[in-house]
């Protein structure tokens, strides 16, 4: 080659003046071949997007991944694992022994029994499944899902059953879905129960709890919507409080009060914040009971180690459908 073969490019090989043993020449219509040399997988290129770790009896676990990059990536370079305390990788499973391209902005469900998942849940793309010989064992109470490229951790979800919508009596058969690709995987509120209206899981297509892309608020603290209805129907199921500060490291205390001034929920206590992010209220009180329909006030107090402090007050409405 005149130059080195580089990743992310498609190359064409052309042969000429080739003859077989009988003297027949390779025809010009059949003397070309192409190959694609995919780029290496970087952190954040492929994300954990959904997990079913507590399936119904007779059903199977699954993990859904998403290509969050603009690149076609080779799944031969990717593996999935879990963690044994305190932080030891175990049960590492390669996704593919041969090259298998994963297109940008696509979903892929990893399961040992894809046909079972397709029978249990609605899916919009029957081809968005990869049959695995085995998956790591995912505990039904808490655990971790780790995506690896070589020895590098590309993404990691630390889950617990407490991430499920607290008013679901039995979360068996309900997946946890990612809400936003541009938020840290383990940010509070980024993984929530799949909506009942979607059948409690969305394998192979857009999550029922996915947040639509919104224009960032110019306010330091803002409500994504002033109303919400915590009924797990996939529409405004939780109150999302966005924050956007000039620097990371602010410490927050966030409380929810009803219209009579009674404390309902302590949402954050001396919580260190990133420069920007979301806090989520699922509509329950400190006793994990559903709060009543009505008007609520969010008090958002922040301070830094230099002693500077700010206070914000936002009003929201917890709504419900009319019977």
């Amino acid at each position: 080659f005149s130059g080195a073969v580089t990743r992310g490019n498609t190359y064409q090989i052309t042969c000429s003046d080739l003859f077989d043993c009988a003297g027949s020449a390779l025809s010009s219509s059949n003397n070309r071949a192409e190959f694609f040399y995919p780029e290496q997988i970087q952190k954040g290129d492929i994300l954990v997007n959904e997990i079913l770790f507590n399936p119904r009896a007779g059903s199977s676990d699954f993990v859904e991944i998403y290509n969050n990059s603009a690149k076609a990536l080779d799944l031969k370079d990717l593996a999935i694992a879990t963690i044994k305390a305190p932080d030891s990788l175990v049960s590492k499973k390669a996704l593919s022994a041969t090259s298998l391209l994963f297109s940008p902005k696509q979903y892929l469900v990893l399961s040992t029994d894809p046909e079972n998942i397709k029978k249990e849940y609605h899916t919009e793309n029957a081809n968005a499944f990869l049959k695995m010989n085995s998956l790591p064992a995912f505990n039904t109470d808490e655990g971790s899902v780790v995506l690896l490229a070589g020895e590098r951790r590309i993404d990691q979800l630390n889950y617990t059953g407490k991430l499920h919508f607290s008013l679901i009596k039995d979360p068996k058969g309900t997946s946890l879905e990612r809400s936003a690709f541009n938020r840290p995987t383990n940010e509070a509120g980024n993984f929530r129960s799949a909506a009942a209206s979607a059948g409690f899981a969305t394998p192979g297509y857009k999550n029922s709890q996915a947040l639509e892309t919104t224009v960032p608020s110019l306010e330091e603290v803002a409500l994504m919507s002033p109303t919400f209805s915590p009924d797990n129907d996939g529409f405004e199921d939780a109150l999302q409080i966005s924050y956007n500060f000039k620097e990371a490291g602010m410490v927050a205390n966030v409380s929810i009060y009803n219209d009579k001034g009674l404390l309902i929920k302590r949402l954050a206590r001396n919580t260190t914040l990133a420069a920007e992010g979301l806090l989520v209220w699922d509509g329950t009180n400190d006793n994990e009971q559903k709060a009543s329909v009505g008007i609520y006030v969010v008090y958002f107090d922040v301070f830094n180690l230099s002693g500077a402090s700010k206070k914000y007050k936002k009003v929201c409405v917890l709504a419900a459908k009319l019977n």
Side-chain angles (χ1 to χ4, degrees):
F1 296 100
S2 58
V5 175
T6 56
R7 290 182 176 271
N9 291 312
T10 300
Y11 293 89
Q12 184 182 89
I13 299 174
T14 303
C15 298
S16 59
D17 298 326
L18 281 181
F19 300 86
D20 63 15
C21 293
S24 300
L26 182 67
S27 68
S28 59
S29 62
N30 198 32
N31 69 340
R32 295 176 179 84
E34 286 188 351
F35 69 90
F36 175 68
Y37 191 24
E39 295 190 29
Q40 289 184 322
I41 303 173
Q42 303 297 329
K43 185 175 182 179
D45 281 350
I46 298 178
L47 300 174
V48 178
N49 191 51
E50 186 174 359
I51 179 173
L52 178 66
F53 58 87
N54 188 9
R56 304 182 187 109
S59 189
S60 304
D61 292 355
F62 74 77
V63 174
E64 181 187 75
I65 59 177
Y66 177 76
N67 186 344
N68 193 44
S69 75
K71 306 172 290 188
L73 300 169
D74 194 345
L75 293 178
K76 180 173 66 68
D77 300 330
L78 193 69
I80 187 170
T82 189
I83 288 178
K84 182 178 180 180
D87 193 33
S88 300
L89 290 170
V90 295
S91 301
K92 182 178 177 181
K93 311 291 183 183
L95 267 64
S96 179
T98 59
S99 289
L100 181 63
L101 293 183
F102 189 23
S103 298
K105 312 306 177 185
Q106 296 298 305
Y107 304 87
L108 187 68
V109 180
L110 312 178
S111 172
T112 59
D113 193 351
E115 296 307 314
N116 174 273
I117 302 300
K118 294 174 190 178
K119 290 178 182 178
E120 289 280 329
Y121 301 99
H122 169 72
T123 183
E124 297 182 1
N125 183 2
N127 295 319
F129 289 79
L130 179 62
K131 183 176 175 61
M132 302 282 291
N133 291 328
S134 62
L135 281 174
F138 298 118
N139 297 330
T140 58
D141 52 351
E142 62 179 352
S144 298
V145 185
V146 184
L147 299 181
L148 298 163
E151 298 303 317
R152 292 175 294 118
R153 299 191 189 192
I154 304 305
D155 193 27
Q156 178 174 324
L157 168 65
N158 303 320
Y159 69 83
T160 169
K162 293 181 180 179
L163 295 179
H164 276 299
F165 183 49
S166 59
L167 300 181
I168 295 179
K169 293 182 179 179
D170 184 5
K172 188 180 292 292
T174 302
S175 72
L176 286 176
E177 294 182 332
R178 189 183 194 114
S179 295
F181 298 124
N182 62 345
R183 299 293 183 189
T185 298
N186 292 299
E187 182 178 82
N190 201 15
F191 272 81
R192 306 207 303 273
S193 299
S197 59
F200 298 105
T202 53
Y205 64 104
K206 182 179 177 181
N207 290 344
S208 62
Q209 297 291 3
L211 292 177
E212 298 297 334
T213 302
T214 57
V215 177
S217 173
L218 297 178
E219 298 180 83
E220 290 183 321
V221 174
L223 304 182
M224 302 293 284
S225 171
T227 63
F228 72 111
S229 53
D231 52 14
N232 204 40
D233 68 348
F235 178 72
E236 294 184 348
D237 285 330
L239 181 72
Q240 299 174 63
I241 309 162
S242 70
Y243 59 87
N244 185 1
F245 299 112
K246 292 181 179 179
E247 58 184 23
M250 300 290 282
V251 180
N253 287 286
V254 183
S255 301
I256 312 293
Y257 293 84
N258 65 13
D259 58 352
K260 296 179 175 61
L262 297 177
L263 177 64
I264 298 298
K265 182 82 168 184
R266 295 188 185 274
L267 199 59
R269 299 185 186 185
N270 294 327
T271 301
T272 303
L273 302 179
E276 62 177 33
L278 286 175
L279 293 176
V280 177
W281 181 36
D282 64 2
T284 61
N285 59 26
D286 279 332
N287 295 321
E288 298 302 323
Q289 298 173 326
K290 186 176 180 179
S292 302
V293 170
I295 298 172
Y296 292 86
V297 179
V298 180
Y299 280 97
F300 199 117
D301 296 348
V302 294
F303 63 91
N304 61 20
L305 297 181
S306 300
S309 64
K310 291 185 178 181
K311 301 179 185 297
Y312 308 85
K313 182 173 71 173
K314 301 292 178 181
V315 178
C316 67
V317 175
L318 193 160
K321 295 178 180 177
L322 296 174
N323 294 328

